[in-house]
Amino acid sequence: MLFKTAYAFGLRRNETRMLDTPDFGRNPEGAEFGEFGICYVRHGKAKKGSPPKRRSVLTVWEWSAEILDQWTSEVRPAMRHAEGPALWPSERGRRVGLQRLDSRFAAYRDDLGLDPVLDFHSLRRSYVTHLIEDGMDPLFVQQQAGHDHASTTSIYTCVSSDFRTRTLRRALDATIEAALKPARSAR
């Protein structure tokens, strides 16, 4: 569920690791997500000499809230260190470690026969790409990712050739339709 959450909100490895149970809240515009409508990232990537950057990431997919609800209500309470604030306690400590995240991700990736070049950050790149492919506004995607510049977000976007073909087809169809409209009106 940790990896699904990282993907669901486009989180970096440390942002995911440092989530606490109170780091989620209601979004009045997304009541269907319940207590998990907003993820408050407190440990975002910092600039040199600055404190961690904070941001709010809105829940986009319904399944995101469902897995978080299941984790917090069914799975996490049965864990040894569930009394602490960490959303992801480990079996040995109060919070899962970065090396453990890397090793688990690599194990899942390898078990699934995925390309060894994939790493935890690939979840974040996929999140950005899928939002763009789903037609989300680029500024919204940039804000969700916590990027100061659109150029940074564009680096993350690796749209499929199928998406590019569909996008081109829509643009061409719109151009053709616009060109035919005056001809139809003249009749």
Side-chain angles (χ1 to χ4, degrees):
M1 292 188 189
L2 179 145
F3 296 118
K4 288 181 180 180
T5 301
Y7 166 74
F9 294 96
L11 302 176
R12 295 174 181 93
R13 188 177 59 152
N14 195 54
E15 292 172 346
T16 305
R17 175 186 171 283
M18 295 303 293
L19 284 175
D20 287 341
T21 53
D23 289 339
F24 292 90
R26 290 187 173 275
N27 177 354
E29 301 300 322
E32 63 269 33
F33 301 124
E35 298 296 323
F36 302 100
I38 302 174
C39 175
Y40 299 103
V41 177
R42 294 174 298 110
H43 295 275
K45 186 176 179 181
K47 293 182 178 167
K48 287 192 182 207
S50 298
K53 187 175 175 184
R54 293 174 174 251
R55 74 177 188 283
S56 300
V57 183
L58 302 178
T59 303
V60 177
W61 297 297
E62 192 172 317
W63 59 264
S64 309
E66 291 170 2
I67 62 156
L68 282 163
D69 183 50
Q70 182 182 14
W71 174 259
T72 58
S73 64
E74 298 173 27
V75 180
R76 187 181 176 281
M79 297 185 76
R80 181 175 168 200
H81 295 286
E83 73 283 349
L87 183 62
W88 313 108
S90 77
E91 58 277 354
R92 294 188 184 135
R94 306 244 179 249
R95 191 176 302 276
V96 68
L98 292 174
Q99 288 180 335
R100 182 70 175 153
L101 291 181
D102 289 341
S103 66
R104 287 305 314 148
F105 185 88
Y108 289 139
R109 177 199 63 214
D110 296 345
D111 286 349
L112 293 168
L114 299 174
D115 192 328
V117 74
L118 296 175
D119 60 7
F120 194 99
H121 208 72
S122 299
L123 299 170
R124 182 171 165 79
R125 288 187 288 271
S126 295
Y127 171 80
V128 169
T129 298
H130 293 151
L131 289 182
I132 294 295
E133 286 186 343
D134 285 350
M136 296 286 186
D137 182 271
L139 180 58
F140 173 78
V141 177
Q142 177 185 338
Q143 292 171 344
Q144 288 282 97
H147 291 151
D148 291 333
H149 306 285
S151 58
T152 306
T153 308
S154 70
I155 293 169
Y156 279 66
T157 309
C158 306
V159 295
S160 66
S161 60
D162 182 51
F163 173 77
R164 293 188 325 212
T165 302
R166 286 191 318 255
T167 302
L168 175 61
R169 182 74 268 152
R170 278 195 304 272
L172 292 173
D173 290 348
T175 303
I176 292 167
E177 183 63 31
L180 293 176
K181 209 173 213 178
R184 288 187 193 139
S185 300
R187 291 185 194 167

